[in-house]
Amino acid sequence: VKSSIGCFFLDTCILISEILNENNPRIQKLKKDAAFHDVRCYVSDSVEKETEKKVKETTDFLGNAIKDTLCIHLVESRKGRKIPIPDPMTNDDIKALEELFYGFQTAVRKSGIALPNPLSSIEEWVISYLSEKLDEGRKIGIDEFAVDLVKSILKLTGSIQDSYDYLISFEKGFVKKRSVILNPKTVYDVDMLGVHNLDSEHIASAVENQRNSSEKTAFVTLDFSTILSKCDNIRTTLGIECCDPLYALHHLL
Amino acid sequence: LLDIRPIEVVETVKRYGLKFLRITRKFESMETPKSYSDMVTFQNETIFNSIKIPSWFDADKLINEFSQRSIKNYEDDTEFKKAVEDLKKAERIGRPLLSFVQFVKHRFDSELDSYLETEAARFLRSNFPLSFYHKFVVFDNTFQEFLRVLEDRVRKYEFLARCSRSFDMYGKRINEMKAAISPLIDQIDACNLHCSRLKRYVIVWNAKDYAELKSPKFLDMTNLEHAEFERILNAYDNTLAETRRLLLRFDEDVLCKESDSAEYATRKVFSDLIALPSSSLKLKS
């Protein structure tokens, strides 16, 4: 019987890419390597929790952006222009949205926040959708427009839920859940290396697994800025390999 | 599909001066037949006896209100009513069980988009997060898959039953079908009950009077008692997860659907946003 060469502990970004069916070539290689060399891919409790949380947060953020930002702005803009609210949408409504998004971009730049502005992604999606409808000559009211957008999110989140359950909840894909009792000292040690929040728990789970099972464990992530950039320090201090999925197998061999 | 027993009726008929033996296989109900009205009333009794009700409503009146509405919808839906009545009729030709399941499945498939629209419209008239409405969409998707699995099983067993040479074997096949599908039907029934209970709970606490029960103007989550809401929501979540797990045992491909290409743009924005740190999504929008 061939003994296992070790196992992978996967980061949230790997699972998210999988449940969104992104077909990331790096992850495809990881899956192929894992299957060929019989390497188990595990998901820790903290990764499972974070994945679920991120899907929920994103769903709610998108919903609120449509309901509380786009719709309200469109209605206010029409009130200002004295256009009846139930009238079909026109190019002027697109310009009203342009004004809204421009205002947001300016505010974000002025605030000096270095984070990417999520609204620019929404802007591209919403404006492309609306101009496509106008090009088709479809008469669409603000309410109908909002319902259409929300419907498309719900349709997508329904399919994300299927992938999530298949892969994580019911463990039917290439990953298995593994609960590891976390040692607060290990979490603290990871945190001291500049890896914070849940990431420290994800890595600490891999560390504990390696210590408790004597199974060589690699923590696999696509997160360069927070984790991979510190992989040397993490290896030296905690003895765990943190690697990109493309190279994960080669850290076990 | 479960409350049935196959029976065989042997008749002598005269054709062209010759006597023939005509054997008809039928289904009869194993219990006193339950009417649609009994069924929905029982369901509403179960729901309203297990949740807290606002002081301005009376439980019995609520049971009556919701039951009467369902009964009216059923009575008005002549196509569906006919399909149910056809199944109840004793005389059987072709593959009645499969025909009924296919009718329900086609009906559900064609209505799925409108269910999605209902949840989207409800979200826009509420202060609940979108993830709350997502739970109902998951139920609808699960129900759709349930019907697909059910169709598959009923097709298989009814075909085997029809191929049986003896009536004993015919009855055995029908019993095998019932044994195979009953856990699934019981589970989806329980899930449907929890789903309806959650919806009814949110509605009754957001309706000012009986007239508003049909469509409250706004669904406000602050009108709900947090602990009670959590209890009902958790029970629903758990039943839904159990149902999906069971479905997966029936068919490994249940949750593996091809991505819809029309979803591409939405998937792209979702993908961009989910990759951002959580703190970015808290930027005031």
Side-chain angles (χ1 to χ4, degrees):
Chain A
V1 179
K2 203 169 75 177
S3 64
S4 167
I5 55 169
C7 66
F8 299 137
F9 263 60
L10 308 183
D11 194 8
T12 312
C13 51
I14 308 273
L15 297 178
I16 285 175
S17 178
E18 275 299 287
I19 62 174
L20 284 170
N21 285 324
E22 286 175 344
N23 286 321
N24 183 320
R26 288 171 187 256
I27 301 174
Q28 297 314 310
K29 178 177 183 297
L30 174 88
K31 285 162 72 176
K32 207 172 134 195
D33 287 345
F36 188 79
H37 293 274
D38 197 19
V39 178
R40 284 288 182 109
C41 297
Y42 291 120
V43 177
S44 64
D45 292 342
S46 61
V47 166
E48 184 186 2
K49 205 162 76 184
E50 191 185 32
T51 308
E52 194 180 355
K53 183 171 160 258
K54 282 187 90 66
V55 171
K56 187 176 176 297
E57 271 176 1
T58 309
T59 307
D60 292 340
F61 181 81
L62 271 168
N64 290 340
I66 293 165
K67 187 171 62 178
D68 300 337
T69 308
L70 300 188
C71 288
I72 290 177
H73 183 79
L74 282 168
V75 168
E76 292 302 318
S77 159
R78 279 190 172 198
K79 279 183 189 164
R81 289 181 283 131
K82 298 194 169 37
I83 308 283
I85 309 299
D87 276 11
M89 296 182 82
T90 64
N91 277 319
D92 289 336
D93 293 300
I94 293 195
K95 285 188 226 160
L97 290 173
E98 180 185 20
E99 188 189 296
L100 169 78
F101 287 114
Y102 184 76
F104 272 115
Q105 306 290 10
T106 311
V108 169
R109 260 181 237 121
K110 275 186 187 163
S111 72
I113 297 169
L115 296 170
N117 180 8
L119 284 167
S120 63
S121 296
I122 299 177
E123 179 183 16
E124 288 159 19
W125 174 54
V126 166
I127 302 300
S128 305
Y129 180 84
L130 184 55
S131 53
E132 199 179 294
K133 297 295 155 205
L134 295 182
D135 283 347
E136 287 168 5
R138 202 177 132 191
K139 294 204 182 310
I140 177 171
I142 295 174
D143 283 355
E144 200 187 339
F145 170 61
V147 166
D148 274 3
L149 292 177
V150 174
K151 258 174 79 179
S152 66
I153 302 168
L154 287 173
K155 199 169 177 192
L156 174 71
T157 57
S159 99
I160 290 175
Q161 185 73 50
D162 285 350
S163 304
Y164 179 91
D165 283 346
Y166 188 84
L167 189 67
I168 305 172
S169 310
F170 307 135
E171 303 171 82
K172 293 287 177 186
F174 72 104
V175 300
K176 295 281 170 255
K177 290 192 269 192
R178 178 163 273 196
S179 287
V180 177
I181 297 167
L182 281 178
N183 181 344
K185 167 81 173 59
T186 314
V187 179
Y188 176 80
D189 289 346
V190 183
D191 207 62
M192 284 292 103
L193 296 171
V195 181
H196 308 295
N197 299 322
L198 284 169
D199 285 338
S200 54
E201 288 187 27
H202 305 338
I203 296 173
S205 299
V207 172
E208 294 302 336
N209 182 70
Q210 183 164 266
R211 282 179 188 160
N212 300 339
S213 67
S214 311
E215 186 179 27
K216 181 151 191 196
T217 306
F219 183 75
V220 187
T221 182
L222 291 161
D223 184 346
F224 184 82
S225 60
T226 322
I227 301 174
L228 293 177
S229 59
K230 302 177 180 88
C231 67
D232 288 341
N233 266 351
I234 297 171
R235 188 194 314 110
T236 314
T237 317
L238 297 153
I240 195 92
E241 296 281 358
C242 292
C243 46
D244 181 291
L246 202 57
Y247 307 102
L249 174 76
H250 310 285
H251 284 274
L252 292 184
L253 291 173
Chain B
L1 289 173
L2 302 179
D3 180 28
I4 52 170
R5 176 195 296 127
I7 54 164
E8 193 171 56
V9 178
V10 182
E11 298 165 283
T12 308
V13 290
K14 214 172 171 183
R15 289 272 161 88
Y16 315 110
L18 297 170
K19 280 183 182 172
F20 291 92
L21 217 55
R22 185 169 73 186
I23 302 171
T24 316
R25 284 168 187 173
K26 310 173 178 185
F27 295 111
E28 66 174 15
S29 181
M30 289 162 68
E31 294 169 16
T32 313
K34 285 183 197 125
S35 67
Y36 182 78
S37 161
D38 291 342
M39 195 185 77
V40 290
T41 307
F42 177 72
Q43 191 189 43
N44 284 309
E45 277 169 0
T46 310
I47 290 173
F48 288 109
N49 288 332
S50 65
I51 58 172
K52 282 186 188 166
I53 290 166
S55 57
W56 55 94
F57 284 126
D58 174 79
D60 290 339
K61 276 190 186 168
L62 282 175
I63 293 165
N64 187 51
E65 190 75 25
F66 279 97
S67 303
Q68 287 308 316
R69 197 192 304 161
S70 301
I71 294 163
K72 187 176 181 312
N73 289 342
Y74 175 70
E75 293 296 336
D76 292 346
D77 190 346
T78 48
E79 206 185 17
F80 184 69
K81 204 174 148 191
K82 185 178 175 301
V84 175
E85 294 307 320
D86 280 352
L87 188 67
K88 280 185 187 170
K89 279 182 195 163
E91 199 71 35
R92 302 283 155 207
I93 45 163
R95 295 168 72 175
L97 301 178
L98 180 65
S99 301
F100 177 71
V101 174
Q102 283 177 331
F103 168 81
V104 176
K105 185 179 174 294
H106 291 154
R107 164 70 73 93
F108 191 84
D109 288 349
S110 65
E111 297 279 333
L112 198 61
D113 194 63
S114 73
Y115 298 152
L116 202 61
E117 193 161 319
T118 303
E119 299 309 335
R122 276 191 187 140
F123 163 71
L124 293 166
R125 286 187 292 107
S126 78
N127 58 8
F128 283 84
L130 187 56
S131 51
F132 175 67
Y133 295 91
H134 157 78
K135 291 171 190 288
F136 300 121
V137 173
V138 175
F139 174 77
D140 291 337
N141 292 346
T142 306
F143 197 82
Q144 188 185 34
E145 287 302 307
F146 154 74
L147 289 172
R148 194 176 62 73
V149 171
L150 188 67
E151 181 191 18
D152 185 55
R153 293 297 187 278
V154 170
R155 176 185 285 113
K156 178 185 151 193
Y157 285 103
E158 200 171 26
F159 173 76
L160 291 173
R162 286 195 68 213
C163 295
S164 307
R165 287 183 168 207
S166 69
F167 178 68
D168 281 351
M169 188 51 82
Y170 179 82
K172 192 173 166 241
R173 293 296 187 202
I174 294 296
N175 283 337
E176 280 171 3
M177 180 195 79
K178 286 160 60 176
I181 63 176
S182 66
L184 199 53
I185 291 180
D186 289 346
Q187 184 62 43
I188 205 85
D189 270 351
C191 196
N192 184 34
L193 190 80
H194 281 282
C195 183
S196 302
R197 185 167 78 145
L198 180 59
K199 284 183 179 175
R200 303 255 201 281
Y201 176 73
V202 171
I203 285 172
V204 296
W205 282 91
N206 278 286
K208 291 179 194 72
D209 50 39
Y210 291 97
E212 223 195 329
L213 284 173
K214 197 167 184 184
S215 180
K217 286 185 188 72
F218 188 82
L219 299 178
D220 185 346
M221 59 191 299
T222 62
N223 286 340
L224 312 178
E225 196 183 295
H226 183 71
E228 175 78 341
F229 174 63
E230 285 291 309
R231 179 181 72 83
I232 297 167
L233 184 64
N234 286 341
Y236 167 62
D237 280 344
N238 292 338
T239 320
L240 184 62
E242 279 167 32
T243 308
R244 288 165 71 79
R245 190 184 293 276
L246 183 67
L247 262 176
L248 207 56
R249 285 218 298 268
F250 273 76
D251 184 349
E252 284 273 318
D253 296 329
V254 155
L255 305 177
C256 301
K257 273 182 269 177
E258 284 290 308
S259 301
D260 184 347
S261 57
E263 278 174 14
Y264 176 77
T266 319
R267 195 175 283 274
K268 163 88 174 57
V269 71
F270 200 95
S271 187
D272 287 349
L273 294 179
I274 204 167
L276 298 174
S278 296
S279 52
S280 291
L281 299 183
K282 282 171 191 142
L283 280 178
K284 210 175 172 188
S285 52

